[in-house]
Amino acid sequence: MTVRIDRDQQGHAMDDALHDADAFDNLQVPLAALPDYRELAFEPVADGFRGYTVITTLIYWLPIAAAGAILNVIPDLPLLAGLLIPGGVLLLALLIGVYRWVDAGHRGWAVRAHDIAAKEGIYWRSVTTLPFARIQHVETSSGPIERWRGLARLKLFTAGGMTADLTLIGLRAEAADTLREHLAEQIRLRDALAPDTAGTGDADDPDA
Amino acid sequence: MTESTDTAGAERAGADWERLPTAAVIAMYISGAQKAVRENLFLFIGGGTGALWTDALGLRELALIALGLLLIGLLGTLIYHRRFRFLIDEEAIRVRKGLFEIKELKVRFERVQNVAFSQPLYLKPLGLTRVNLETPGASQTEVELPGVRNDEALALRDRVAGAHRQGPATDAPAAAGEGDPSATGAPAIFAPGFGDLFRYGMTSSQLWIILGVVGGPLAERVGDRVEDSVEWLEASGLVGVGDLSSAPWLAAGLVLGLVVLFIALGLVVSGLIAWVRFHGYRLTGDDDRLQAVYGLLDKREKSLKRAKLHSLEVVQTAFGRLLRRWHAVGHQAALDAMNPMNQDKRFLVPGIPGGRLERVTSELAGRAWSPPAFQGIHPRFRRILWQRVVLLPLLVALTAHSVLDSGPWWSPFAALAVAGFAALLIHFRWKRWGVHIGDNGLQIREGLVGTTIILFEDARCQQVKVTRSPYQRRHGLATLVIRLPHGEKTVPYLPEPLAAELANRLLYRIETSTAHAL
């Protein structure tokens, strides 16, 4: 069996390979012809995400700054210390807020026919790619502020992990739901195609 | 699941549900107590120390509390035992258990990746064996039968093995090794002798971990004892301890001798522990699975489906390098493989002599293996670490010394020595790190003085990540992070085109593979 892959047809060829039980045999694919993750066009995070970073930073740091300001009720506290403590906290909050604002612009996600990728990082930039074939389950979650801003996060779990292996934050709630459904469908398709593992996720399934 | 549905289920299933033998209560009680102590070790130590220090509790009160706890434990065990049921059919096992809430698990045999038997000393006279069926994924999906009759345990093991052989993913013909490889006298792949196991014990890092944990408090206690002994010797007039202060080299020699003696004692103890733990180790296997039987006090048997073996690690510790000894670890998907409490669940092959490493690893991997030529990582890894971890702190220390003009005269030399040592360690780390790109899989080597080589097929990976720091971007480099079901493996400072090529290849292989990660 020979699978010929070129860039125009790579989606179909990958599909054939995936659905062919003998896909492991006799594959001769020039390395240069493999789909390249570097060519991905990443979707940016939702518009509301930057506002979300500002709000959550303020919610976290403002009470601390306020507590610092309250210190001024201590009678013998020097004025400089009374100003420096809340001022320092506010400055730190500002720096963190700016960092998170810029960081939001460097985040992105992309879905291909067989995997999902996420990029992040201002200085240390990384691209993480998780094939659908390895996803065990998918979930979306959103806190009260995320819901207010119309945002949600998508958590992807693989086997052997206690925590999510890949978390996409700053998605529009509708996009997160669509992605979750799409990925769940991919998992169902995969399980249907792999008879050795189909329906084996029943370890906790009583009277299955 | 509630008790009411439990009763309904029992009626539906009729008399097929089995109970554990009455003697299994003992096994459940002891293992439950062990587990409770192990999981709450710090609480026990803290509680015990606190109780000893407080005057409110006398020995009688403490004994009563302990007795009360033991009785509550016994009552709980009796109820748990009474409610425990299991049902084995052709393709699956069901277990119904729970103290307050009844839970029912069903695990198909083809999903079981590891069957582990354990027979501690106290179970031997009762003719019982503890059986663990490990499945990939959550620990709560693991089935543990705390004590079943030996013949039942063997029948269960064979049934699981039978399910594997009939499994659609298995290419091996079923007739190749029917039944128990060890029982049918299959030749051992590896059976280390006393010397091999003793040396493995000496070389395993276990000793240094124990020393690290108990070393501090122990040193303090030993110090007090030594002070007492010195005072006693001085008072007895047998030895003029004061003379030692006039002979510093003799005193230093004595201290050094004591330290060497302490380490030698630790090595011997560690060697003996390994010998007891792995006594009679015998590794056998066929095309379908691997099996290891070992243990003097706690007789254990582990079997592992080859199809579930996603990576193989061969390790030589720093001490092992001196003694030319390796050990191998077969990794399988597990929820908390990084948890040290689960170290026992690994499929470990101890005490492999250097000369037999290739043969044993080939047998474990299921294909010919010999140490390949590794492609090293870029020298900039070493250079940047030298600059930022060695040179920069050294310059700061030297500048501070000259500007502040404080500290002893030898402090710059000490700083230089420490920096030199750190530079050497960085060099070792850099030199050891490498990757071998095979036709279907990768091998990654890392270590400092020792060596760890991990072998895995491309299609076994879970996730691929490529990271680039600003320095790496300037110099066209990247770090490749590969996630396997048991943890991450990193190859830093590869040329960026190579890292991308490897990432693309790994993704392609995962996505075109029909093999599932589990």
Side-chain angles (χ1 to χ4, degrees):
Chain A
M1 189 191 81
T2 306
V3 176
R4 195 176 133 269
I5 290 185
D6 58 44
R7 289 188 187 282
D8 295 327
Q9 293 179 324
Q10 67 190 23
H12 296 297
M14 291 279 282
D15 228 30
D16 291 345
L18 185 74
H19 294 92
D20 192 328
D22 297 326
F24 257 132
D25 301 334
N26 205 20
L27 273 178
Q28 179 68 49
V29 183
L31 281 174
L34 290 181
D36 194 340
Y37 77 91
R38 291 173 296 184
E39 291 170 9
L40 282 170
F42 286 92
E43 293 280 334
V45 290
D47 294 337
F49 185 63
R50 283 197 154 135
Y52 165 81
T53 61
V54 173
I55 294 164
T56 48
T57 307
L58 287 177
I59 287 177
Y60 188 86
W61 289 100
L62 270 187
I64 300 173
I70 290 171
L71 284 178
N72 285 301
V73 299
I74 299 171
D76 296 331
L77 190 77
L79 184 64
L80 190 63
L83 287 175
L84 273 183
I85 294 170
V89 173
L90 277 178
L91 183 66
L92 188 66
L94 182 72
L95 289 175
I96 290 172
V98 169
Y99 177 84
R100 291 186 68 195
W101 179 279
V102 179
D103 176 69
H106 283 82
R107 288 180 177 272
W109 55 275
V111 178
R112 294 195 289 188
H114 299 282
D115 52 38
I116 182 163
K119 67 162 185 164
E120 62 175 347
I122 303 171
Y123 298 106
W124 286 271
R125 291 181 192 164
S126 68
V127 177
T128 307
T129 314
L130 178 59
F132 299 155
R134 293 293 174 263
I135 299 174
Q136 288 295 303
H137 75 273
V138 191
E139 68 176 47
T140 48
S141 67
S142 54
I145 302 166
E146 282 174 307
R147 283 199 295 279
W148 172 39
R149 306 290 302 170
L151 301 170
R153 55 186 67 200
L154 184 75
K155 294 179 179 176
L156 308 169
F157 296 82
T158 64
M162 205 186 298
T163 54
D165 294 85
L166 186 62
T167 303
L168 304 185
I169 58 172
L171 299 178
R172 277 186 303 107
E174 307 82 62
D177 288 339
T178 311
L179 270 177
R180 188 194 60 222
E181 289 308 312
H182 175 70
L183 294 175
E185 182 58 28
Q186 296 298 319
I187 296 168
R188 274 195 290 276
L189 276 175
R190 175 202 68 197
D191 285 348
L193 286 167
D196 57 322
T197 54
T200 52
D202 60 353
D204 256 324
D205 178 15
D207 298 320
Chain B
M1 178 175 286
T2 61
E3 177 116 39
S4 58
T5 51
D6 169 39
T7 315
E11 282 164 10
R12 201 167 55 245
D16 290 330
W17 285 90
E18 285 187 64
R19 298 176 66 158
L20 292 173
T22 314
V25 174
I26 302 169
M28 291 165 92
Y29 189 53
I30 295 175
S31 70
Q34 281 176 341
K35 201 174 165 190
V37 171
R38 206 168 46 228
E39 286 177 2
N40 304 292
L41 197 60
F42 292 108
L43 198 70
F44 269 83
I45 293 171
T49 317
L52 284 176
W53 280 103
T54 174
D55 294 334
L57 294 174
L59 269 181
R60 194 190 296 169
E61 285 84 353
L62 283 177
L64 275 174
I65 291 172
L67 190 68
L69 286 175
L70 287 172
L71 280 176
I72 292 170
L74 183 61
L75 188 68
T77 310
L78 284 169
I79 299 172
Y80 190 80
H81 174 267
R82 194 174 158 269
R83 292 185 170 176
F84 197 102
R85 298 280 190 287
F86 65 97
L87 172 66
I88 300 169
D89 61 28
E90 286 306 313
E91 57 177 28
I93 181 170
R94 293 181 189 196
V95 171
R96 195 180 287 161
K97 61 178 182 178
L99 201 56
F100 301 110
E101 187 188 19
I102 305 290
K103 200 173 169 187
E104 187 173 315
L105 302 175
K106 177 188 175 187
V107 174
R108 293 185 189 189
F109 292 143
E110 63 182 9
R111 191 169 158 77
V112 174
Q113 63 180 12
N114 193 2
V115 182
F117 286 179
S118 165
Q119 192 179 48
L121 268 186
Y122 55 85
L123 280 189
K124 222 172 242 178
L126 303 172
L128 299 177
T129 301
R130 190 187 299 151
V131 182
N132 260 48
L133 301 180
E134 291 166 14
T135 53
S139 56
Q140 63 265 29
T141 63
E142 192 175 271
V143 170
E144 184 186 349
L145 300 177
V148 290
R149 290 198 319 272
N150 293 344
D151 56 328
E152 265 188 320
L154 288 173
L156 177 61
R157 196 259 319 271
D158 289 344
R159 196 162 280 194
V160 173
H164 289 167
R165 291 202 181 92
Q166 289 155 14
T170 309
D171 301 328
E178 210 56 61
D180 173 11
S182 58
T184 52
I189 293 171
F190 181 58
F194 171 78
D196 294 322
L197 293 176
F198 190 81
R199 269 175 277 197
Y200 164 71
M202 291 202 296
T203 60
S204 75
S205 51
Q206 179 180 292
L207 169 70
W208 307 108
I209 294 169
I210 295 170
L211 277 182
V213 173
V214 302
L218 200 68
E220 208 170 298
R221 198 153 271 222
V222 169
D224 293 346
R225 232 354 118 74
V226 167
E227 265 178 41
D228 293 346
S229 308
V230 167
E231 280 171 20
W232 180 80
L233 278 173
E234 192 76 276
S236 69
L238 288 172
V239 181
V241 180
D243 296 347
L244 281 179
S245 58
S246 57
W249 287 111
L250 182 64
L254 274 174
V255 171
L256 195 69
L258 275 174
V259 170
V260 169
L261 195 71
F262 184 64
I263 290 175
L265 194 70
L267 287 172
V268 170
V269 170
S270 192
L272 286 174
I273 289 173
W275 175 71
V276 170
R277 189 176 164 208
F278 293 106
H279 175 77
Y281 188 98
R282 191 176 148 82
L283 173 72
T284 52
D286 55 26
D287 292 342
D288 185 46
R289 64 181 174 143
L290 295 162
Q291 189 178 53
V293 184
Y294 58 90
L296 185 65
L297 301 180
D298 186 0
K299 192 87 184 157
R300 284 163 182 263
E301 181 181 315
K302 283 188 176 188
S303 65
L304 173 66
K305 279 173 81 172
R306 280 189 190 276
K308 299 294 183 194
L309 184 73
H310 63 71
S311 61
L312 187 66
E313 212 164 37
V314 286
V315 184
Q316 186 177 52
T317 60
F319 246 104
R321 202 171 167 192
L322 276 177
L323 300 173
R324 290 178 51 76
R325 281 295 180 285
W326 295 73
H327 65 268
V329 182
H331 287 293
Q332 49 195 316
L335 176 76
D336 42 4
M338 305 307 284
N339 185 345
M341 299 288 277
N342 279 350
Q343 292 280 301
D344 220 24
K345 292 181 183 168
R346 301 180 310 166
F347 195 88
L348 183 77
V349 185
I352 309 170
R356 297 182 64 187
L357 180 69
E358 288 185 22
R359 198 187 145 241
V360 174
T361 309
S362 301
E363 292 280 0
L364 287 171
R367 58 190 156 81
W369 179 86
S370 56
F374 285 93
Q375 176 177 341
I377 57 174
H378 201 277
R380 284 193 184 276
F381 172 82
R382 184 180 55 177
R383 191 187 297 178
I384 189 81
L385 283 180
W386 274 352
Q387 282 172 3
R388 295 185 187 177
V389 179
V390 178
L391 212 58
L392 203 64
L394 180 68
L395 283 176
V396 170
L398 292 180
T399 313
H401 178 76
S402 62
V403 171
L404 299 174
D405 200 21
S406 64
W409 61 268
W410 48 263
S411 57
F413 297 102
L416 272 172
V418 170
F421 186 62
L424 199 65
L425 290 183
I426 289 167
H427 171 74
F428 285 156
R429 186 92 174 116
W430 166 77
K431 199 176 165 194
R432 193 74 69 214
W433 225 322
V435 60
H436 170 76
I437 305 160
D439 290 338
N440 291 310
L442 298 183
Q443 297 185 42
I444 297 170
R445 183 186 66 187
E446 58 181 320
L448 193 64
V449 183
T451 304
T452 299
I453 301 171
I454 186 159
L455 301 70
F456 58 91
E457 285 181 13
D458 292 345
R460 293 284 182 171
C461 302
Q462 300 273 71
Q463 180 180 294
V464 183
K465 182 175 176 180
V466 179
T467 310
R468 306 185 74 194
S469 68
Y471 180 82
Q472 287 178 320
R473 287 201 295 276
R474 276 203 303 280
H475 298 287
L477 298 166
T479 292
L480 182 66
V481 183
I482 301 163
R483 178 170 290 191
L484 292 160
H486 77 280
E488 281 184 353
K489 280 286 150 192
T490 302
V491 192
Y493 283 71
L494 286 175
E496 194 273 339
L498 177 63
E501 189 183 303
L502 280 176
N504 289 332
R505 191 183 97 159
L506 289 167
L507 290 169
Y508 177 74
R509 287 270 164 75
I510 300 166
E511 289 161 8
T512 54
S513 163
T514 53
H516 197 279
L518 303 181

